[in-house]
């Protein structure tokens, strides 16, 4: 009977003695060989045996005295086999923490008894929890340096309660330890007789972690189609559930239902197979199945969509950008996809979600994603295998991020692409009295007359409703623009042409709105300031000159003209009709372009 | 698939047979033959390839050998660079292979503990331990540009004991050198060196018969034997459970320079 395997990830800062703890686990369980110990002795700086060197592998790290990547270590006892993913503690290495935790069932959270719960401790526990770990061993190390005092240990345990409240469904086991001497690591400590719980190793040997993948519905992504004479088998790993000869299963995306005819294997045919076996299945009907397809339970199929809300851990120096194409690898398929919206970034100092427009290296955020082909998945909380994916940069081929599906959303993407093509946002920017409102009404009438679905969003009008109470400070002006952008995007999604007229003086926020909208036409309504001041439709220039309106655009607040607008209308030289026609032409050109863009589920996107 | 004839390669071969059954593995086996291997290894290799009907490419660094490269003349470091790393990169290039599957395990050696399952190599075959692709869950990123390659290590998370237990469970054939019997050996302190391929002798030195076996297999000069009476896989497993020394302790090449395996891997060693 093979031993049960337990995978651990460790977390703790450089000075908490994490590597010493692992070294001690390996050493005391006989996992370090004599010649390796000798080699450690040779490599240590002052002749003293440094157990941490067992786990700190690479030379660059020895020079810096820190661990820099994920190192995997192996040991076994009579009861279990263990794989430890040792990940560094410093905060810039969130990516390594997440990597180590992605395959682990238990997390060892280490802290220094003198320092107690640090922000870093909380971060580590939270990342491990996000990646799906529900069993935590909280190792309170360096108890010798606090006189082995029970009250210090209990104080830390109480301090940790506030963290526990944030980690829904997690179980915590606290142990007081001296890693360098081995107290409570493998053997119970004689110096802390007030502690009666199992040692770290004993706990790890007995904690129940049996994954219940077998009780879940059947899922098998197809990795390879095996062809021999008169033979066709679909090979892959069963990621959850089980399957037996004669079972009816469903093929995704074709949604054909077929029966399992045979489960052939090197050792002879099987009658049944279950997770995590790698098998091949022969089906009783000739159906089109290829790599990337998913075979699944008919009564309990995976969710299928192109739109997801996902938790993302970003792992690249190049920030995650909305609307930039990435390759997503999900089970055995690679699809093109993009983030359509970044909802928030996690502030790891207080575990709060903050608004964000991009995610940088080691940031954790929540995003909405759209893929070009459907994914067949379950939420990560339900199934780590079918709910996880990675981001691959299509240019550099690097793995730049990791994603966990939180929610499969109503398939907005496919609806937009099949039934309702995206609309267009026409954004008229320019000085007060440059002619934006007049022009927008002229464009509206022309488009309406030509049968388009069209809506007007006038800056002055919006300020009386949606943005009532906002001032004309830079911050509030930007807020006003973002609100208009938000409404325009919603309208565009439903195929409406939204005509916005707003001074919108700041380039940065205009570009931010542009980044969120697929079909965005920036129209620079351009008239020299002298002309505008002469027109002074609302008498505002006069009041500004009189000092009654401080911060007036063009007078004492800057107007940043667009650098490359799709359309420019010189309202001092063109007639309204000429300007309006230019805009209408641009809108119709963009509409026909984007509707040509639409392609049905193309096999080209499957790699 | 890299095939070194050792126990890990034998396990890999079985895994490949099972994965593609009833078809044959859709890739050839590549053996880097330094010409300093045990003759039993070469016999075993040819027999297995013929029995399974697999395509076998045996590649040697012909040019370096013609120039007289040998562990005795160059020292083990330079010899490895020429006859193993050099030959491997040459063979991968000649075959136009953009992926090579190998049997290396992370528990073998410190620098391997950080190796990825899918290990990216640049267009010179070099490994950069500081810019590896993160590997989450069991999702592997095998995308490369032309000229670059991926080394794949499916046994990354196996230990030496796992390998032997699998060999026992699956009844996998292995080279008889793994089993103990009386063999002529040069006894140098704790080391047992095979006299095959005529290593330089100490004055008055003669091979003596020692009951021993090989714990890992490489070139004769660089593969020390261990004193052992284990004649079956079951014996080997119980021996391993008691043993206090790592499997590569007798490997000369791992120790010739502190951090030496990492250095070799940076250059393109498997």
């Amino acid at each position: 009977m093979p031993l049960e395997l337990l995978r651990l990830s460790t977390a703790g800062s450089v000075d908490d003695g994490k590597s010493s703890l692992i070294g001690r686990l390996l050493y005391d369980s006989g996992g370090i060989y004599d010649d390796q110990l000798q080699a450690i002795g040779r490599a240590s700086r002052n002749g003293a045996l440094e157990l941490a060197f067992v786990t700190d592998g690479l030379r660059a790290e020895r020079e810096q005295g820190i661990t820099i990547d994920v190192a995997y270590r192996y040991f076994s006892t009579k009861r279990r086999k263990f794989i430890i993913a040792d990940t560094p503690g410093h905060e810039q290495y969130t990516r390594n923490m997440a990597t180590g935790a992605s395959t682990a069932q238990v997390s060892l959270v280490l802290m220094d008894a003198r320092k107690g719960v640090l922000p870093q401790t909380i971060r580590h526990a939270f990342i491990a929890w996000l990646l799906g770990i529900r069993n935590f061993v909280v190792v309170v190390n360096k108890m010798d340096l606090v006189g082995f005092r029970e009250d210090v240990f209990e104080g830390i345990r109480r301090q940790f309660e506030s963290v526990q409240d944030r980690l829904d469904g997690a179980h915590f086991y606290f142990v007081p330890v001296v890693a360098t001497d081995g107290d409570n690591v493998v053997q119970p400590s004689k110096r802390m007789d007030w502690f009666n719980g199992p040692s770290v190793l004993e706990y790890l040997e007995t904690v129940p972690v049996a994954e219940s993948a077998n009780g879940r519905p059947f899922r098998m992504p197809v990795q390879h189609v095996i062809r021999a004479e008169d033979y066709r088998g679909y090979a892959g790993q069963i990621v959850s559930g089980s399957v037996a000869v004669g079972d009816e299963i469903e093929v995704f995306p074709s949604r054909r239902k077929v029966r399992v005819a045979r489960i052939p294997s090197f050792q002879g045919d099987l009658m049944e197979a279950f997770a995590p076996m790698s098998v091949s299945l022969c089906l009783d009907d000739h159906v089109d199945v290829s790599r990337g397809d998913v075979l699944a339970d008919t009564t309990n199929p995976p969710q299928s969509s192109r739109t997801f809300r996902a938790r993302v851990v970003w792992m690249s120096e190049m920030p995650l950008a909305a609307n930039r194409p990435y390759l997503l690898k999900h089970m055995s398929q690679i699809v093109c996809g993009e983030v359509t919206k970044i909802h928030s970034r996690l502030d790891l100092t207080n575990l709060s979600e903050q608004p964000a427009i991009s995610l940088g290296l080691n940031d954790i955020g929540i995003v909405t994603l759209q893929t070009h082909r459907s994914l067949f998945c379950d939420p990560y909380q339900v199934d780590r295998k079918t709910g996880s994916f990675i981001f691959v940069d299509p240019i550099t081929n690097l793995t730049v991020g990791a994603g966990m599906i939180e929610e499969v959303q109503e398939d907005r993407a496919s609806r937009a692409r099949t039934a309702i093509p995206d609309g267009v946002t026409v954004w008229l920017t320019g000085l007060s009295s440059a002619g934006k409102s007049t022009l927008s009404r002229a464009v509206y009438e022309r488009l309406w007359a030509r049968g388009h679905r069209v809506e007007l969003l006038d800056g002055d009008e919006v300020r009386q409703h949606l943005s009532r109470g906002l001032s004309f400070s830079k911050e509030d002006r930007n807020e006003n623009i973002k609100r208009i952008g938000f409404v325009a995007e919603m309208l565009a999604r439903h195929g409406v042409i939204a005509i916005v007229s707003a001074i919108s003086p700041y380039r940065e926020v205009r570009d931010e709105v542009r980044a969120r909208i697929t079909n965005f036409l920036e129209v620079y309504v351009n008239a020299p300031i002298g002309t505008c001041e002469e027109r002074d439709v609302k008498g505002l220039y006069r009041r500004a000159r009189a000092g009654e309106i401080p911060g007036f655009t063009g007078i004492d607040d800057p107007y940043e003209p667009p650098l490359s607008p799709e359309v420019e209308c010189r309202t001092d030289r063109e007639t309204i009709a000429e300007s309006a026609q230019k805009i209408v032409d641009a809108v119709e050109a963009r509409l026909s372009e984007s509707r040509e863009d639409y392609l049905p589920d193309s096999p080209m996107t499957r790699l | 698939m890299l095939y070194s004839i050792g126990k890990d390669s034998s396990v890999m071969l079985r895994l490949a047979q099972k994965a593609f059954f009833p078809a044959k593995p859709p890739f050839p086996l590549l053996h880097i033959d330094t010409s300093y291997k045990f003759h039993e290894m070469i016999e075993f290799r040819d027999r297995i390839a013929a029995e399974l009907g697999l395509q076998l490419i045996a590649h040697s660094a012909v040019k370096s050998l013609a120039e007289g490269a040998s562990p005795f003349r160059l020292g083990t470091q330079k010899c490895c660079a020429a006859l193993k790393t050099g030959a491997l990169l040459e063979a991968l290039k000649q075959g136009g292979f953009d992926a090579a599957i190998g049997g290396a395990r992370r528990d073998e050696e410190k620098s391997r503990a950080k190796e990825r399952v899918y290990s990216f190599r640049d267009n010179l075959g070099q490994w950069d331990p500081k810019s590896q692709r993160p590997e989450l869950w069991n999702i592997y990123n095998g995308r490369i540009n032309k000229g670059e390659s991926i080394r794949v290590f499916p046994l990354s998370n196996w230990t030496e004991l796992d390998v032997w237990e699998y060999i026992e469970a699956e009844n996998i054939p292995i080279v008889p050198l793994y089993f103990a019997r009386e063999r002529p050996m040069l006894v140098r302190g704790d080391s047992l060196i095979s006299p095959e391929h005529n290593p330089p002798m100490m004055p008055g030195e003669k091979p003596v018969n020692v009951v021993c076996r090989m714990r890992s297999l490489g070139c004769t000069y660089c593969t020390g034997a261990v004193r052992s009476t284990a004649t079956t896989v079951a014996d080997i497993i119980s021996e391993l459970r008691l043993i206090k020394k790592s499997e590569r302790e007798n490997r000369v090449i791992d120790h010739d320079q502190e951090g030496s395996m990492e250095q070799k891997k940076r250059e393109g060693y498997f």
Side-chain angles (χ1 to χ4, degrees):
Chain A
M1 175 78 186
L3 289 174
E4 191 179 24
L5 175 68
L6 179 71
R7 296 189 67 143
L8 307 168
S9 76
T10 55
S13 81
V14 190
D15 309 316
D16 293 338
K18 174 169 50 94
S19 293
S20 301
L21 176 77
I22 298 173
R24 180 52 70 180
L25 280 172
L26 293 176
Y27 181 71
D28 286 1
S29 65
I32 306 178
Y33 296 121
D34 288 348
D35 57 307
Q36 288 174 333
L37 275 179
Q38 275 170 24
I40 296 162
R42 246 194 333 255
S44 304
R45 268 162 300 183
N46 46 20
L49 182 71
E50 288 187 42
L51 285 170
F53 276 144
V54 176
T55 48
D56 290 6
L58 299 192
R59 193 192 310 171
E61 294 165 30
R62 276 198 212 170
E63 286 153 8
Q64 296 165 23
I66 50 163
T67 319
I68 55 169
D69 198 69
V70 190
Y72 294 90
R73 288 289 151 189
Y74 307 83
F75 71 100
S76 58
T77 67
K78 286 198 176 71
R79 292 196 251 188
R80 264 184 185 162
K81 291 202 279 199
F82 299 92
I83 300 178
I84 307 178
D86 181 20
T87 56
H90 20 294
E91 80 184 274
Q92 65 269 39
Y93 283 111
T94 297
R95 94 175 205 174
N96 297 333
M97 279 275 325
T99 303
S102 71
T103 50
Q105 298 136 308
V106 174
S107 171
L108 285 177
V109 178
L110 210 71
M111 65 181 87
D112 185 328
R114 293 170 303 176
K115 297 178 189 157
V117 180
L118 298 176
Q120 185 148 274
T121 324
I122 300 172
R123 260 175 246 156
H124 290 154
F126 193 74
I127 292 169
W129 178 81
L130 272 185
L131 270 291
I133 295 179
R134 293 294 176 264
N135 277 296
F136 291 83
V137 183
V138 184
V139 178
V140 182
N141 192 22
K142 307 197 182 181
M143 286 299 293
D144 52 332
L145 302 181
V146 295
F148 301 104
R149 278 165 49 196
E150 184 175 7
D151 60 321
V152 174
F153 176 71
E154 287 303 327
I156 289 172
R157 193 209 288 256
R158 276 194 303 277
Q159 222 187 334
F160 206 81
E161 274 169 10
S162 63
V163 186
Q164 274 169 261
D165 294 342
R166 301 295 306 274
L167 310 184
D168 208 20
H171 176 262
F172 295 86
Y173 177 66
F174 291 79
V175 207
V177 155
V178 184
T180 47
D181 299 342
D183 296 67
N184 286 333
V185 177
V186 174
Q187 299 297 333
S189 171
K190 294 194 176 70
R191 301 189 283 187
M192 287 176 277
D193 53 11
W194 46 266
F195 181 77
N196 299 316
S199 68
V200 175
L201 183 66
E202 198 184 333
Y203 179 80
L204 295 176
E205 283 182 309
T206 50
V207 57
V209 287
E211 297 216 358
S212 51
N214 288 347
R216 299 227 337 105
F218 172 67
R219 306 272 187 271
M220 181 181 132
V222 174
Q223 277 179 280
H224 183 70
V225 181
I226 297 171
R227 288 189 180 87
E229 306 155 43
D230 292 339
Y231 178 93
R232 183 173 288 201
Y234 303 103
Q237 183 179 33
I238 301 177
V239 295
S240 70
S242 62
V243 67
V245 172
D247 279 2
E248 189 180 52
I249 58 172
E250 190 166 348
V251 182
F252 290 84
S254 72
R255 311 224 51 163
R256 288 283 301 274
K257 290 184 180 169
V258 283
R259 285 191 188 277
V260 176
R262 276 181 66 199
I263 311 176
S265 95
F266 187 76
Q267 276 103 339
D269 275 24
L270 306 174
M271 290 311 292
E272 192 190 13
F274 45 85
M277 289 167 71
S278 291
V279 294
S280 43
L281 305 181
C282 295
L283 306 176
D284 73 348
D285 195 3
H286 284 292
V287 288
D288 179 33
V289 181
S290 49
R291 176 176 167 86
D293 288 0
V294 177
L295 309 180
D297 191 293
T298 48
T299 53
N300 213 333
Q303 289 175 280
S304 149
S305 180
R306 294 179 184 178
T307 310
F308 311 89
R309 190 182 163 92
R311 174 71 76 168
V312 168
V313 180
W314 200 247
M315 303 184 157
S316 164
E317 311 270 345
M318 280 264 291
L320 166 71
N323 300 311
R324 185 182 181 281
Y326 292 101
L327 298 172
L328 305 179
K329 183 158 187 203
H330 173 250
M331 298 203 281
S332 59
Q333 83 168 334
I334 294 180
V335 298
C336 297
E338 58 202 54
V339 167
T340 52
K341 185 169 168 53
I342 298 171
H343 297 275
S344 61
R345 189 183 68 84
L346 181 70
D347 181 345
L348 279 167
T349 58
N350 57 15
L351 306 186
S352 66
E353 302 289 345
Q354 298 296 328
I357 53 166
S358 73
L359 294 178
L361 178 63
N362 292 313
D363 279 348
I364 296 173
I366 297 175
V367 305
T368 294
L369 279 163
Q370 280 188 17
T371 53
H372 292 194
R373 276 171 49 83
S374 293
L375 300 186
F376 311 102
C377 59
D378 301 278
Y380 187 76
Q381 292 274 359
V382 174
D383 193 319
R384 275 167 115 176
K385 291 241 168 72
T386 59
S388 55
F389 61 92
I390 59 171
F391 289 85
V392 176
D393 185 298
I395 310 290
T396 64
N397 292 329
L398 294 174
T399 303
V400 290
M404 291 158 275
I405 295 167
E406 287 200 332
E407 197 190 346
V408 174
Q409 298 191 329
E410 189 203 344
D411 219 338
R412 194 179 90 193
S414 59
R415 203 183 60 201
R417 279 164 189 274
T418 53
I420 312 169
D422 277 343
V424 176
T425 298
V426 184
W427 193 280
L428 280 64
T429 171
L431 291 165
S432 181
S433 289
K436 296 183 298 298
S437 297
T438 314
L439 192 50
S440 66
R441 257 170 258 123
V443 173
Y444 174 89
E445 281 163 17
R446 281 171 170 74
L447 287 170
W448 185 82
R450 294 171 67 83
H452 293 289
R453 288 143 56 94
V454 55
E455 191 54 81
L456 266 179
L457 281 165
D458 186 273
D460 291 336
E461 217 170 289
V462 167
R463 276 201 171 262
Q464 288 165 26
H465 307 286
L466 191 61
S467 295
R468 184 196 290 272
L470 290 183
S471 73
F472 285 86
S473 69
K474 178 166 186 181
E475 203 181 75
D476 276 5
R477 288 187 131 176
N478 282 347
E479 177 59 29
N480 180 44
I481 297 307
K482 283 183 197 171
R483 291 182 189 179
I484 297 173
F486 180 78
V487 176
E489 195 233 344
M490 276 178 124
L491 289 169
R493 206 193 296 154
H494 292 273
V496 177
I497 300 164
I499 304 167
V500 176
S501 64
I503 298 173
S504 46
Y506 308 118
R507 196 176 291 136
E508 190 188 332
V509 70
R510 288 197 307 265
D511 286 348
E512 203 181 303
V513 173
R514 173 193 287 272
R516 294 164 55 131
I517 298 177
T518 317
N519 290 322
F520 187 84
L521 293 180
E522 198 174 31
V523 180
Y524 182 18
V525 183
N526 188 2
I529 177 97
T531 311
C532 295
E533 203 167 344
E534 250 175 66
R535 288 179 186 159
D536 205 3
V537 186
K538 297 170 212 157
L540 296 170
Y541 284 92
R542 208 174 53 242
R543 291 175 58 202
R545 290 288 182 198
E548 287 172 37
I549 311 176
F552 192 76
T553 302
I555 304 292
D556 55 353
D557 203 60
Y559 176 76
E560 301 168 349
L563 296 177
S564 50
E566 274 77 7
V567 183
E568 184 175 356
C569 299
R570 284 297 300 256
T571 57
D572 56 331
R573 298 183 199 158
E574 302 165 7
T575 64
I576 291 173
E578 284 170 343
S579 295
Q581 195 54 48
K582 273 161 76 174
I583 298 170
V584 169
D585 290 348
V587 168
E588 294 198 331
R590 177 62 68 94
L591 277 176
S592 68
E593 237 170 68
S594 79
R595 285 170 195 187
E596 250 169 45
D597 250 354
Y598 165 72
L599 286 172
D601 237 355
S602 155
M604 294 302 289
T605 57
R606 189 197 303 168
L607 303 173
Chain B
M1 181 152 109
L2 272 290
Y3 180 69
S4 73
I5 318 172
K7 60 186 189 304
D8 306 298
S9 287
S10 300
V11 166
M12 293 263 299
L13 184 53
R14 172 60 57 91
L15 291 174
Q17 281 180 277
K18 291 173 75 168
F20 296 99
F21 178 83
K24 282 178 187 160
F27 37 71
L29 303 181
L30 172 62
H31 177 229
I32 299 304
D33 190 352
T34 59
S35 82
Y36 289 94
K37 302 290 177 191
F38 293 90
H39 66 276
E40 291 100 322
M41 290 170 72
I42 304 301
E43 288 156 21
F44 181 85
R45 175 194 78 187
D46 294 342
R47 182 167 67 79
I48 292 290
E51 272 177 22
L52 303 182
L54 295 173
Q55 187 199 346
L56 174 82
I57 304 168
H59 187 91
S60 297
V62 179
K63 195 159 159 264
S64 298
L65 285 170
E67 288 163 6
S70 87
F72 322 124
R73 276 190 55 201
L74 296 180
T76 56
Q77 277 249 310
K78 283 185 183 158
C79 178
C80 255
L83 298 186
K84 288 173 91 171
T85 310
L88 172 65
L89 295 180
E90 203 174 89
L92 293 178
K93 199 174 166 191
Q94 272 181 25
F97 299 117
D98 56 7
I101 308 168
R105 311 187 318 268
R106 286 179 182 141
D107 83 325
E108 277 178 89
E109 201 273 339
K110 278 198 291 286
S111 75
R112 286 192 162 153
K114 292 178 188 187
E115 181 67 272
R116 299 293 191 260
V117 176
Y118 272 44
S119 180
F120 175 80
R121 305 299 166 109
D122 66 15
N123 50 10
L124 298 173
Q126 297 178 109
W127 179 62
D128 178 1
K130 283 203 169 162
S131 71
Q132 302 193 76
R133 297 175 178 180
E135 259 172 12
L136 293 102
W137 303 289
N138 58 347
I139 307 178
Y140 300 107
N141 174 4
R143 294 185 64 86
I144 49 170
N145 290 322
K146 202 163 191 278
E148 299 164 344
S149 60
I150 297 269
R151 308 267 172 100
V152 186
F153 303 107
L155 303 188
S156 280
N157 282 327
W158 293 46
T159 63
E160 187 185 10
L161 194 56
D162 292 333
V163 168
W164 282 110
E165 287 177 342
Y166 193 70
I167 287 170
E168 186 181 44
E170 293 270 321
N171 200 16
I172 299 171
I174 50 167
V175 184
L177 286 162
Y178 284 113
F179 299 115
R181 70 171 174 80
E182 208 172 62
R183 293 183 171 90
M185 285 285 157
L186 302 172
V187 183
R188 295 179 183 173
D190 286 342
S191 301
L192 302 176
I193 312 276
S194 164
E196 192 175 343
H197 300 301
N198 306 315
M201 304 273 199
M202 309 285 188
E205 191 179 32
K206 264 190 194 156
V208 290
N209 281 337
V210 182
V211 177
C212 62
R213 66 179 198 88
M214 308 296 155
R215 198 168 157 196
S216 73
L217 287 181
C219 298
T220 56
Y221 184 63
C222 296
T223 308
V226 291
R227 290 175 194 269
S228 164
T229 53
T231 54
T232 64
V233 175
D235 289 350
I236 292 173
I237 290 171
S238 40
E239 185 184 279
L240 275 176
R241 291 213 164 105
L242 295 171
I243 212 150
K244 290 299 287 176
K245 292 196 166 151
S246 78
E247 88 182 277
R248 297 186 76 94
E249 63 144 345
N250 303 308
R251 283 293 191 97
V252 177
I253 56 168
D254 290 355
H255 306 300
D256 42 19
Q257 184 184 318
E258 183 56 42
S260 56
M261 182 61 94
E262 185 187 335
Q263 191 62 41
K264 284 198 185 68
K265 282 168 62 75
R266 280 172 183 275
E267 289 160 7
Y269 185 77
F270 221 78

